[in-house]
Amino acid sequence: MSAARPLPTEMKVLMNHIYEYRKGVRRMVLFTCNRKYEEFATSHLQRLGIPYMLQPAGKRNLNLYFGRSECLDAIKLIITRPLNELSPEEDFILGAMLGYDICAQCERFCLRKGNARRTQAAETQTQTAAIS
């Protein structure tokens, strides 16, 4: 009889997310993991009948979204590029959908909008200087 291999930490985190989803604590989850766990994660979600969506996240990782179908339908419309390329508005919506602290999301949004405004102002100054 062979001893069962212990579950890697990443998969324990996934199991906790699934538990919270099934208990109604979360309506949608974003789980980022190494691509080597894709088969394990997706087959487990399929066995449980939980809808999911995959998104590449660099060379070695992937983002696994799972949860209510209506949430995933919205995610498919919002997440059309890597997460670091989302607009401040898209980032805010994603965070809110994932159940992140709404005050922290508001603060993050304002910070990102402020950074976006400073970047736009710098670009405008550069363009104005180039024209002069």
Side-chain angles (χ1 to χ4, degrees):
M1 180 180 353
S2 65
R5 290 179 24 200
L7 206 56
T9 302
E10 280 182 280
M11 294 302 95
K12 289 179 183 177
V13 171
L14 173 65
M15 293 304 141
N16 186 65
H17 286 318
I18 291 171
Y19 173 81
E20 290 179 347
Y21 170 73
R22 295 181 81 193
K23 288 294 183 182
V25 174
R26 299 171 181 261
R27 295 289 184 219
M28 190 181 77
V29 174
L30 166 56
F31 174 68
T32 302
C33 67
N34 189 297
R35 288 179 188 265
K36 68 183 177 182
Y37 299 120
E38 178 179 351
E39 173 61 30
F40 176 87
T42 57
S43 63
H44 193 70
L45 291 170
Q46 286 171 359
R47 276 194 308 276
L48 296 172
I50 299 173
Y52 66 90
M53 179 183 113
L54 296 170
Q55 176 193 35
K59 293 179 181 177
R60 296 183 187 157
N61 294 325
L62 61 89
N63 289 327
L64 173 63
Y65 299 85
F66 65 90
R68 299 280 303 259
S69 297
E70 47 277 90
C71 295
L72 290 175
D73 289 345
I75 287 298
K76 289 173 188 172
L77 297 172
I78 297 168
I79 309 301
T80 59
R81 57 194 176 283
L83 296 180
N84 64 331
E85 295 177 13
L86 295 180
S87 71
E89 292 81 5
E90 292 165 329
D91 180 80
F92 180 85
I93 292 167
L94 176 61
M97 290 178 70
L98 291 167
Y100 296 167
D101 177 86
I102 199 66
C103 292
Q105 283 304 112
C106 289
E107 188 176 308
R108 178 179 167 91
F109 173 74
C110 290
L111 180 64
R112 290 192 70 206
K113 284 299 276 191
N115 286 345
R117 286 189 194 119
R118 283 194 285 282
T119 301
Q120 287 173 345
E123 289 172 0
T124 301
Q125 286 177 347
T126 303
Q127 291 169 353
T128 304
I131 294 170
S132 306

